[in-house]
Amino acid sequence: MAEKAGDVLGRIERLKRKPIRLRETNITMAHGAGGKATHDLIVAVFLEAFKNPLLEKLDDQATFELNGMRLALTTDAFTVHPLFFPGGDIGCLSVHGTINDLATAGARPLFLAAAFVLEEGFPIDDLKRIVDSMAKAAARCNVQIVTGDTKTVQRGKGDGVYIVTTGIGIVEHPVNLSIANARPGDKVILSGTIGEHGIAVMVARGNLDFEADIQSDTAPLWDMVDSVLKVCPRVRCMRDPTRGGVATVLNEIAQASQVCIRVFDEAIPVRPEVRGACEILGIDPLYVANEGKMVFVVPPEDAELVLETLKRHPLGENAAIIGQVEEEPAGIVLLETGIGGARVLDMLTGDPLPRIC
């Protein structure tokens, strides 16, 4: 006999309440995909060892006060393959990704640090191209790269270059942003079409027999976020849907806030070329990485104002209200289809597109 929807949701809820224990005895590629395996690794290993009030929030950065100023600190690592792809490269990606993590806290980016792990034999000209891309990306955002480090590994022990960045910014708006802030009645807004970055990287690898002009959406989002916070400081939370895509980000918010997020499939903006590529790969665009999009959760009375503000910005012209926050079932994301049905939209499992960012 088919299991009833209420029984399925009840079983999922009981599973979510269990303490997280890693089943694996060794690291797998899924642990770096940004989905459920990554979340479990962070909670069971890193959070358990480093537990403190700032880390326990599991936001993309830590926000704290120092001498009367609200600051945000974030760090990120980039291992994308190939290093150069349509619309960008590992250099600008590392700068944009760090700035965007600061932006999710409502923080204006100020300074970056960058560490490079270089493989023996890597071409100096390629390194110069990457560094020049970083410098241009930082200059466009009025951010300075002020310190860093360089290490080398033997030939065959790396993959050309890995970059680790750290950023610090200042929170200038009177905001209280956290993935634990979502409330029933809130609206979920997505700043634009999804999936371009992940698919652009796959095209660059030659993994797709697919002719389409798909460019990575990598971009710095602070200016767009700043324009929203100027008109609506009551934004509940923001998250950039990178590894694990929009589906994973929504699950993080639903679980942290203990609410249900209902998403409307037909409202989600996806370019036809991206949807076609995802069909070839057998994956859902909601799980594909983005590097220039933001998910906003806002009070219902502010939703139209935020949407209009986003649409006036070049990076938000395809913004859309894609869902709403409900009370039950807590900790669950539901995807409502065009024919009125609904299914549970869980975190990403496995790693269908490795080494995307």
Side-chain angles (χ1 to χ4, degrees):
M1 180 181 294
E3 198 171 6
K4 293 182 179 179
D7 295 335
V8 173
L9 293 176
R11 180 162 54 83
I12 292 173
E13 180 62 24
R14 289 192 295 274
L15 288 172
K16 288 179 180 291
R17 291 176 181 174
K18 287 185 177 181
I20 293 176
R21 295 185 178 88
L22 292 180
R23 296 180 180 179
E24 303 87 354
T25 56
N26 300 93
I27 293 296
T28 70
M29 289 301 293
H31 287 118
K36 189 176 187 305
T38 304
H39 177 268
D40 290 353
L41 180 70
I42 291 170
V43 173
V45 177
F46 300 112
L47 183 59
E48 182 67 24
F50 304 144
K51 187 174 292 185
N52 62 72
L54 290 177
L55 184 61
E56 287 171 2
K57 296 178 181 179
L58 293 181
D59 285 324
D60 283 341
Q61 74 309 115
T63 304
F64 51 91
E65 287 200 12
L66 183 66
N67 295 331
M69 293 187 298
R70 291 184 67 197
L71 300 175
L73 177 69
T74 190
T75 193
D76 208 343
F78 298 85
T79 66
V80 64
H81 174 77
L83 300 174
F84 305 95
F85 46 84
D89 54 68
I90 193 174
C92 66
L93 182 68
S94 67
V95 173
H96 295 162
T98 309
I99 287 172
N100 295 346
D101 282 350
L102 291 173
T104 64
R108 179 183 299 279
L110 298 176
F111 303 105
L112 300 184
F116 299 82
V117 180
L118 304 171
E119 184 182 10
E120 179 187 17
F122 187 68
I124 295 293
D125 283 347
D126 284 352
L127 180 60
K128 287 181 177 179
R129 182 179 169 188
I130 290 167
V131 170
D132 183 60
S133 178
M134 293 178 70
K136 290 177 179 177
R140 284 194 294 268
C141 302
N142 295 316
V143 172
Q144 293 179 292
I145 299 174
V146 294
T147 188
D149 190 27
T150 303
K151 293 291 191 296
T152 59
V153 297
Q154 292 173 317
R155 190 185 303 267
K157 301 296 184 180
D159 193 13
V161 58
Y162 302 137
I163 301 177
V164 178
T165 51
T166 299
I168 190 166
I170 185 168
V171 181
E172 299 172 329
H173 297 282
V175 293
N176 176 29
L177 298 165
S178 171
I179 59 172
N181 283 348
R183 298 291 181 267
D186 288 348
K187 300 297 183 182
V188 180
I189 301 176
L190 179 61
S191 67
T193 54
I194 61 172
E196 283 102 328
H197 175 72
I199 298 304
V201 172
M202 295 303 291
V203 169
R205 289 178 186 171
N207 290 14
L208 282 171
D209 184 15
F210 190 80
E211 293 185 7
D213 181 22
I214 301 176
Q215 304 280 314
S216 169
D217 64 342
T218 180
L221 299 177
W222 165 247
D223 185 64
M224 182 184 74
V225 167
D226 187 37
S227 68
V228 169
L229 295 180
K230 283 177 178 176
V231 300
C232 183
R234 293 177 298 279
V235 171
R236 307 279 199 205
C237 68
M238 294 178 286
R239 199 79 161 199
D240 56 330
T242 54
R243 296 176 303 160
V246 171
T248 296
V249 161
L250 294 178
N251 272 277
E252 290 171 346
I253 297 170
Q255 292 177 20
S257 297
Q258 279 302 287
V259 296
C260 172
I261 297 180
R262 184 178 295 272
V263 185
F264 306 107
D265 189 29
E266 293 187 338
I268 299 167
V270 186
R271 289 178 56 191
E273 303 95 316
V274 170
R275 191 178 295 280
C278 286
E279 290 176 356
I280 292 173
L281 291 167
I283 57 176
D284 189 326
L286 284 165
Y287 292 104
V288 179
N290 311 271
E291 290 294 342
K293 300 299 185 298
M294 190 71 75
V295 172
F296 297 81
V297 178
V298 303
E301 60 272 20
D302 295 317
E304 289 300 328
L305 175 61
V306 171
L307 184 62
E308 291 172 5
T309 303
L310 286 170
K311 285 182 171 294
R312 287 195 295 268
H313 194 279
L315 295 178
E317 58 186 9
N318 293 312
I321 297 174
I322 65 166
Q324 63 192 30
V325 179
E326 300 175 355
E327 190 169 355
E328 297 289 343
I332 299 292
V333 178
L334 295 176
L335 180 68
E336 188 169 305
T337 66
I339 59 175
R343 63 178 176 88
V344 174
L345 188 68
D346 207 349
M347 276 190 177
L348 174 70
T349 56
D351 190 10
L353 302 177
R355 303 283 303 280
I356 291 296
C357 53

